[in-house]
Amino acid sequence: VYRSLSQTRKMTSVALATRRSARLACAPACIIESQQAIEMHDKEDVVHQQTPDAPRKRRRVAPPIAAAAAAAVTTALMAAHSRDQEVEAFRSEQDLVKAMEHLRQADPALAPLIDAHGPPLKLLAQPGASCFMALAKSIVFQQLNGKAAGTIFGRVMALCGTPAQAEPGAPAQPAQLAAGPAGVAAGAAPDLTSPCQVSTQAAQSHAQGSGAGMPGDPAAAAGGDAAPALVLTPEAVLGAEFSALRGCGLSENKARYLVGLARAFSPAHSPQPLTDEVLRRAADEQLVTCLTALHGVGAWTAHMTAMFNLGRPNILPTGDLAVKRGMQALYGLPQEPSPAAMAQLADRWRPYRSLGSWYMWRVMESAASAPKQVKTKKAKAKI
């Protein structure tokens, strides 16, 4: 039995090592360097404890992302896009109308949805939106319903929020999320690190702009003029006590994720920090890959940030349950499509897969609001 268990452990270790090598072989250099830096940081944080009455123990401390890892991500992004060409995004309603006409011609099944719902202005890029705040809020909302997550995020904003400094003549900042639960309680956020666990209701609500409450949606602001305009900055998060963050209701892991995210965006803690400009200039695939290298940021979070914050037109959130079910309902599929099948179905939408995905949310919205037929028992005829 002992030999059998040892052999099984060895086979499992070899399989995991092979899978990891294959994954890193397909990853860009920034991810490899990031992973190596994180692993090195983990090794340095293994604490050995020796007491007279107890055997030697090993305790692993879960650190936030290493500053070297964040620097590697930023370096790769800047090197890949040093040609000084900005990625096209949805910037005006005319861009959306052009995309709608493309989808109407490429996929006639979308025509009724396009006529019924028109252009989704919420997919327009938000020039004044903060990518850091969007990612931070997504981390807070993970695995919580909207009301609880909104309360916790309101406490974080009350602790770390700083007044927004709007430029003269600038549009209202989307960071006008009130420092209270009312500003964010409208959304129900799913598990963002496990995109396949996204609920249909949460995805639909997010697509409407109030769902996961992504910063960048002015409709998410609460309290109108009475509520102070607050923004969340990396410096404010790093300046708060860790115990104070935990006191807001954050779990230990979420608090560490938030601090690690702040370090990645902070010039004082990273030689080449992530910035909104760097992320806006990154290509879609590299943007998603590098964001998911950050602890606490999953593929679904990266996709939603790219769509609703950066206005990326060609994002397909293959892990979103509502998009899967929308495709299943629209095309009459016997079961939910796999990510590969979703990519094949959405290939005709290119280069506007974000818009096509938004209409899949509308399919599920229509299905949810449709009146249910009530079955009535037929009266038996008396003989």
Side-chain angles (χ1 to χ4, degrees), residues 85-91 95 280 282 284 310-314:
Q85 292 181 357
E86 190 167 354
V87 177
E88 291 295 330
F90 286 137
R91 303 191 182 281
D95 294 338
R280 287 191 180 98
D284 292 341
L310 300 176
R312 297 300 177 91
N314 197 34

Side-chain angles (χ1 to χ4, degrees), residues 190-226:
D191 176 3
L192 304 181
T193 53
S194 300
C196 293
Q197 301 298 324
V198 175
S199 66
T200 303
Q201 181 180 2
Q204 289 172 339
S205 300
H206 185 101
Q208 294 168 359
S210 61
M214 296 288 289
D217 177 21
D225 296 334

